[in-house]
Amino acid sequence: MSYMTTSDRQMSLATEISTANTRAEFADALLRVARAYGFLHVTLMYAPAPESILLQALVIETSLPSAYFSQFDRAKIMRSPVLAAGMGASCLPRGFALSDSTTTHVFPDELSKLLRAFNIPTSLVVPGYTGDGERILFWLGGDRPLLSQNELNEMTVVTLHLLDAFNRIKKSTPTEHVPLSAREREVIRWTAQGKTSIEIGQILSLSDHTVNAYMTSAIRKLDCVNRTQLVAKAIRMKLIN
């Protein structure tokens, strides 16, 4: 690929991204970036925390069908310590391919089968941070070779434009709070009383993993960054007593 072709593509995508002013337009820009690099799907998600067990609860925008997340969560793939290590805390973009023996160790068997079933044997994960400090991941997947170093460099720059647009749109869009479920309110209420996930699970006859999943979902819905902020916000909004 020539420098001029690379430069033209990068500039063209940056221009398109800069015109996105709504979440819908941002989602379209995300998909155009993915397709420009030969990927089939793209997902913007919060980076998983140690207690995360449901991938669906972390998704911000995605072009993947809901069936992918249902199968992922049903197989409890998020619990794999190898997967967590693969997502890591690095600030560098990282590519993975089922055909690459140097990266296949990152994929549990259940995930490998799922990726093949949805025709996304190659992935690229580019990390970033929101304006309020939350770590997020741009995950692109499809059936193409691993990116070259030049493509990785270019993709990193394009992702910075995406991140800037996401932060700009998030800041300018009034937060629409999705109603909490009854179970989410219960979990927050017991958390406000100082109970741990294990203790709440015993009270509600749930596993601590399920309690954490409800907690993570509520944190996302109320646009919080941790449990302490969630409890304070829920009390302030009179969602719990």
Side-chain angles (χ1 to χ4, degrees):
M1 180 182 299
S2 70
Y3 173 80
M4 183 60 70
T5 302
T6 299
S7 178
D8 287 347
R9 178 170 62 179
Q10 182 175 309
M11 291 179 62
S12 175
L13 289 172
T15 299
E16 290 185 43
I17 294 167
S18 68
T19 63
N21 293 308
T22 66
R23 284 289 290 269
E25 292 173 349
F26 177 76
D28 288 341
L30 268 178
L31 188 56
R32 285 198 296 273
V33 168
R35 297 292 169 78
Y37 290 90
F39 289 103
L40 180 61
H41 291 293
V42 60
T43 297
L44 174 61
M45 57 181 282
Y46 293 101
E51 67 270 17
S52 299
I53 62 172
L54 298 178
L55 179 61
Q56 181 67 65
L58 302 174
V59 173
I60 302 171
E61 297 286 351
T62 187
S63 63
L64 278 163
S66 60
Y68 178 89
F69 300 100
S70 297
Q71 293 180 41
F72 186 104
D73 290 335
R74 190 161 53 244
K76 301 177 181 179
I77 297 174
M78 188 66 79
R79 296 184 183 180
S80 168
V82 179
L83 181 64
M87 290 184 158
S90 173
C91 294
L92 298 174
R94 188 172 181 185
F96 305 92
L98 296 179
S99 60
D100 183 3
S101 60
T102 65
T103 61
T104 50
H105 69 279
V106 173
F107 300 99
D109 290 341
E110 298 88 348
L111 180 55
S112 296
K113 294 175 183 177
L114 187 60
L115 291 171
R116 289 192 176 94
F118 283 82
N119 195 32
I120 44 178
T122 301
S123 299
L124 173 68
V125 177
V126 185
Y129 286 88
T130 65
D132 49 11
E134 285 198 90
R135 180 176 166 83
I136 58 176
L137 304 173
F138 293 90
W139 168 40
L140 297 91
D143 187 4
R144 59 146 293 163
L146 287 169
L147 273 69
S148 66
Q149 188 58 54
N150 284 340
E151 288 177 307
L152 277 175
N153 294 342
E154 182 186 349
M155 187 65 207
T156 300
V157 174
V158 172
T159 302
L160 290 175
H161 287 282
L162 285 170
L163 186 59
D164 184 65
F166 175 73
N167 284 326
R168 170 171 49 80
I169 293 170
K170 183 179 180 182
K171 184 177 180 180
S172 64
T173 303
T175 303
E176 296 180 2
H177 298 306
V178 179
L180 298 177
S181 69
R183 189 63 94 183
E184 288 166 346
R185 288 172 185 255
E186 281 185 298
V187 168
I188 298 173
R189 189 177 298 113
W190 285 113
T191 300
Q193 295 182 33
K195 301 297 184 181
T196 66
S197 293
I198 293 177
E199 291 171 331
I200 296 172
Q202 293 171 342
I203 294 169
L204 301 179
S205 298
L206 301 171
S207 71
D208 59 318
H209 293 292
T210 300
V211 170
N212 287 331
Y214 283 123
M215 186 67 66
T216 299
S217 177
I219 286 173
R220 302 306 177 205
K221 286 182 179 181
L222 295 189
D223 196 27
C224 297
V225 297
N226 54 41
R227 296 184 180 206
T228 301
Q229 184 182 17
L230 172 66
V231 169
K233 195 166 190 176
I235 293 173
R236 188 170 66 251
M237 296 175 66
K238 299 182 179 180
L239 297 176
I240 62 173
N241 297 326

